[in-house]
Every structure is written in structure tokens, then in C-alpha cells.
Amino acid sequence: KHDCNGVFLVELLGREAPGLVRVRNRPETARRIAVPPWSGPVEQRLVHPLIQSRHLGPLALRGWAHALLPVDAGGLLAEETLAREAPHAQGYLAGQRPFLAQRRSRVFAASPFYRVFGVGPYAWAPCLVVWCGMSLRPDFAVVDRVDDPFLGPVRPLIDSACYLIATGSPDEAWFVAGLLHSQAAQQFLRGRSSGSKRGLGQAVVSRLALPRFAPENPEHRALSSTAAALAGQGLASAPLAEALEPASAPVGDILRPH
């Protein structure tokens, strides 16, 4: 969807009638396809916090954007469903159809015309560990709900430039993120990042034998709670790895390459 960012990325302007928010699109974010400015009401449930690569720090998020995306936990909304349940959003997207049709990827050739990619059932897992594949910095952030000033506590969606690990609970997510920020893991990842467009892709991270989180294991619980406690301190990767070492070392000997 990046070549048509100006359609999907929005700025929240305020609340309208119940279930509606006023937004403006963001033509200034367009990468290739110029779209005209627009503002108006859309259904609140289709406006999602969006985590982009610039929002990812070590363990914690650094804010989020907003996007109008016609998706829910069941996937992409069908055109008839969108028209019936979200007529304001449907009307806006219908007006953007000529610009959406200019997208280059063959993924977008299929119906509906507002198709996006990078949003599947995994995006709605109980908790996520997210990193940017187009970065040489091995920063892994835990993503659960965010407290959005307009939308309230809500689950954000993840930009398609990012990778994620779906976990079964926040405790598991903090454990995984803590391991990935351990000194052993950071050294391994920095040494093997390819420097290419997807310098820190799934293949690199998957070479680490991350142990499965066992909530009955006191060492696993200790690492999880330590990572969660350190997340809000704003530490850079190196001091963070050092602070995690007392908790990550007991499980670090099984964090090794395949």
C-alpha cells in the first residue's frame, strides 16, 4: 500500500456523531501516486493506529500513525459489507478508486479495489513482537493495545515493512523481546544483518533457537518481568542488553544459531 499512502494514512481531527470520527487524508505522504486532499467523517472502527518502522524502539513503541483500513479480525471487508456497515468509509474509498488503480503490485489487481496486504490473522494475536526488516538496528518492540487519545485502548496494526512474532500473551512477548535484546542475540543479529533492503529479515532472526516460553519456569518469568520493567526507561540497545544480562544469562545458553 505504500505507493498510495496518501489514501490510507489519515490524521484524526476529532469525533463526530457516535461511531464516527473526522479525518483528513495525508497527500504529503504519497511516494508515487499523488492524491488530492480530502477531509470528512468515517467510521471509527476502520481507523486504526498503525505501527511503522519509525515507531519501533528497543522493547517499546515511540508513538504511532493512523490509517483508514477496511479490515477487521476476519480479514479484508468485502465491498458489500463495507457499503452496508461503513458507508462513509466506502464513499471515501470509492472516490479514491482512480488513484488506487494506479498501484503497481499485482497483489492489488484482485478485488476489492481497496485491497491491502500485510494484514492477516497473525496481526490479531494476543500480543506481538515487532521489528523493522528494512533496518540494520535489531530493535524489537512489544505491541499490545495502545491508549489512543481519540480511539481509546485499541490494538494497532503493523505496517507491511515490519516483521512480527505472534505470541500467546504479554508475558510471552516480553520474554521473547528480552531474549532478542540479550547481549548474545544482539551480537549475533548485528553480525549477520546483510545490509540489503531487508537487512534484518525473518530468515536472519529465525536462525536463533528461541526457547518456547514456559510460564512455570522461574527464569523465564524473571526475564519477562525484567524486560517489561525496562521498557519504559528509554535505554539504547547496548545499555539495555547489559541491564537484561542478569535475567537473560540463565536462558542465554540455549539462544544459539541452528
Side-chain angles (χ1 to χ4, degrees):
K1 59 183 176 291
H2 294 118
D3 57 356
C4 219
N5 272 351
V7 170
F8 293 109
L9 291 180
V10 298
E11 178 186 355
L12 275 164
L13 302 177
R15 295 183 178 88
E16 292 265 328
L20 298 176
V21 290
R22 177 166 290 274
V23 302
R24 76 165 187 91
N25 67 347
R26 297 181 57 196
E28 72 278 6
T29 66
R31 296 190 179 182
R32 186 179 66 85
I33 302 170
V35 301
W38 178 92
S39 66
V42 295
E43 285 73 17
Q44 177 175 321
R45 74 182 185 91
L46 298 185
V47 178
H48 305 268
L50 181 69
I51 306 302
Q52 300 171 299
S53 58
R54 63 191 176 93
H55 301 126
L56 300 173
L59 294 181
L61 293 176
R62 297 168 173 164
W64 52 87
H66 291 98
L68 173 63
L69 296 172
V71 300
D72 61 17
L76 190 69
L77 297 182
E79 290 189 53
E80 58 272 20
T81 303
L82 185 66
R84 182 178 65 255
E85 298 182 1
H88 293 82
Q90 191 276 338
Y92 164 68
L93 291 171
Q96 305 301 311
R97 189 168 188 158
F99 309 105
L100 295 170
Q102 298 177 44
R103 295 183 291 176
R104 289 174 174 167
S105 174
R106 287 178 295 177
V107 171
F108 305 127
S111 296
F113 67 90
Y114 46 77
R115 176 175 292 275
V116 296
F117 64 86
V119 181
Y122 46 83
W124 306 93
C127 204
L128 307 174
V129 178
V130 181
W131 74 98
C132 178
M134 297 182 179
S135 172
L136 305 183
R137 299 191 322 272
D139 290 339
F140 300 84
V142 171
V143 177
D144 193 356
R145 287 179 174 263
V146 299
D147 191 9
D148 189 273
F150 282 101
L151 307 176
V154 63
R155 178 62 173 274
L157 295 178
I158 310 300
D159 186 88
S160 59
C162 301
Y163 291 99
L164 59 87
I165 298 172
T167 68
S169 69
D171 287 345
E172 181 183 5
W174 288 116
F175 171 75
V176 172
L179 278 179
L180 290 168
H181 277 286
S182 67
Q183 290 180 337
Q186 289 282 301
Q187 182 178 6
F188 175 86
L189 294 170
R190 290 180 185 277
R192 286 161 178 80
S193 178
S194 66
S196 66
K197 181 180 178 181
R198 293 279 179 175
L200 197 61
Q202 191 87 35
V204 176
V205 176
S206 66
R207 292 179 63 188
L208 291 167
L210 299 176
R212 185 176 296 277
F213 177 64
E216 71 280 2
N217 185 322
E219 294 173 348
H220 289 197
R221 293 199 307 272
L223 177 56
S224 175
S225 61
T226 300
L230 291 170
Q233 297 189 17
L235 296 175
S237 295
L240 175 61
E242 184 176 352
L244 283 167
E245 190 64 14
S248 63
V251 290
D253 58 340
I254 52 175
L255 184 65
R256 63 185 184 276
H258 290 294

